[in-house]
Amino acid sequence: MIPDKDPNFPAGLDIHPLASATSDVDARFDSAAQEGAIKTYGIAGRIWEASHAMLAYLDPSSPLEFDPPPPTLALGDTPDARPVTAIELGSGTGFVAARLAEWLRPASDMLIATDLPDVCMLLEANLHACPAIRVRPLAWGSREHVTAIAEELDVKQCGPSPRDLTHILCSDLIYFPALLAPLLRSLLHLTSPPFAHAHPATVILSYKMRSLPKETPFWSAFGLWFEFVPVLARPRVAQQPSTDGPSAGQWSRFSPGDSSDETFVLVAHRRPESLSWHIPEDDFALLSGVGAYGSSAPKSDDQFEQLLLMGMDI
């Protein structure tokens, strides 16, 4: 179900630009540009913190080694690697898409940057010079918008297509309770036929924890349909310090901030058996777990809770 009100202008909205060394060198995304975009597009006009975590993970020149490895890692070294076809949900200013475009191969790769129809004007303005990017409307929960993208990509209801969806990117999208079910619904749409057959797209989420009690219903329902793991990191071999200590080469939960930073990057895959489950039309039922495991009974998943209890470190 699509929210009736514009979610980019909630009551009492009082936000300010996010300044960073990465965005401030680009006039499309610096503090002045964000200030103007916030006035016109509300929440969508600001760059949000977890977008930097997403880019740090996807950067093929990172001094860190990641597990799972990012899809961008092999693109420069393997020109004939499988084409990347990615959809970014809630692209906002286009900050993540613009940076990602620098690592894609325009002749074979494609990124579809999406947001509400009115926000697409901002995306078009900021991304028109990126040949690997298309801008399309996709309101969370909208079957109509998803169908239009499927038809444009010419994905087939049965069997592989010339341009199968490989990745779905979500940067800092888990915040307002009213948007949790529509977001999950879009993720299910994009990992179901005609987009998905034997291998549904990989979902990459960067997430900054702000109000866990309000955000937990998403993770409790998301985990019923998707298996997910935290991204782990360690220095690349050439970067590792010369030491025989136990920490040399040790994997730890990736977070580009300090040790207290509650920003996570997660990689998820649709549970194969869930492709035959009925997705309820009612948002409350979806978040309550109705339909998962082929049952109409409410249920929840504790994957995210377990990761938090474990400190997300392995």
Side-chain angles (χ1 to χ4, degrees), residues 21-291:
T22 306
S23 59
D24 284 351
V25 298
D26 191 327
R28 295 173 296 177
F29 307 114
D30 63 14
S31 295
Q34 291 180 64
E35 189 76 50
I38 289 170
K39 293 178 181 177
T40 304
Y41 301 101
I43 288 173
R46 185 184 190 267
I47 294 173
W48 293 92
E49 287 81 357
S51 62
H52 291 282
M54 175 69 78
L55 291 176
Y57 172 58
L58 295 176
D59 186 349
S61 65
S62 173
L64 300 176
E65 179 184 3
F66 295 111
D67 182 27
T72 49
L73 188 60
L75 297 184
D77 299 331
T78 313
D80 58 348
R82 179 190 181 193
V84 169
T85 303
I87 289 180
E88 183 188 18
L89 297 179
S91 298
T93 64
F95 175 62
V96 169
R99 186 75 176 101
L100 180 55
E102 300 174 14
W103 305 321
L104 298 178
R105 303 159 298 179
S108 58
D109 301 326
M110 179 193 300
L111 171 63
I112 302 177
T114 72
D115 214 302
L116 294 172
D118 62 318
V119 180
C120 286
M121 296 175 59
L122 176 61
L123 287 171
E124 291 282 7
N126 287 341
L127 301 175
H128 69 276
C130 302
I133 295 181
R134 299 182 185 182
V135 173
R136 298 293 182 267
L138 201 171
W140 300 347
S142 171
R143 173 67 75 177
E144 178 184 357
H145 287 165
V146 166
T147 299
I149 292 174
E151 292 175 350
E152 182 175 354
L153 294 179
D154 194 26
V155 293
K156 309 298 183 183
Q157 188 70 33
C158 298
S161 303
R163 172 77 62 181
D164 282 332
L165 184 63
T166 60
H167 297 85
I168 303 167
L169 308 179
C170 304
S171 297
D172 227 337
L173 303 185
I174 302 162
Y175 45 93
F176 287 150
L179 299 179
L180 300 182
L183 173 59
L184 177 56
R185 192 176 304 282
S186 284
L187 290 172
L188 292 173
H189 287 165
L190 292 170
T191 53
S192 299
F195 289 99
H197 300 288
H199 302 288
T202 298
V203 182
I204 305 175
L205 308 100
S206 61
Y207 161 64
K208 181 174 177 62
M209 188 187 304
R210 293 185 173 86
S211 178
L212 188 58
K214 294 181 179 179
E215 297 153 2
T216 293
F218 174 84
W219 296 113
S220 297
F222 179 77
L224 294 170
W225 301 83
F226 294 84
E227 294 178 304
F228 57 92
V229 296
V231 169
L232 306 180
R234 67 182 179 185
R236 294 190 184 278
V237 174
Q239 305 282 339
Q240 290 178 7
S242 174
T243 177
D244 296 326
S247 63
Q250 183 175 344
W251 292 102
S252 61
R253 195 256 304 175
F254 171 63
S255 180
D258 58 34
S259 59
S260 63
D261 184 17
E262 294 183 317
T263 299
F264 313 115
V265 180
L266 304 163
V267 175
H269 295 91
R270 183 80 179 263
R271 296 182 184 273
E273 65 274 21
S274 73
L275 292 172
S276 64
W277 300 346
H278 172 69
I279 302 173
E281 295 296 327
D282 179 74
D283 284 353
F284 180 79
L286 180 61
L287 288 184
S288 298
V290 173

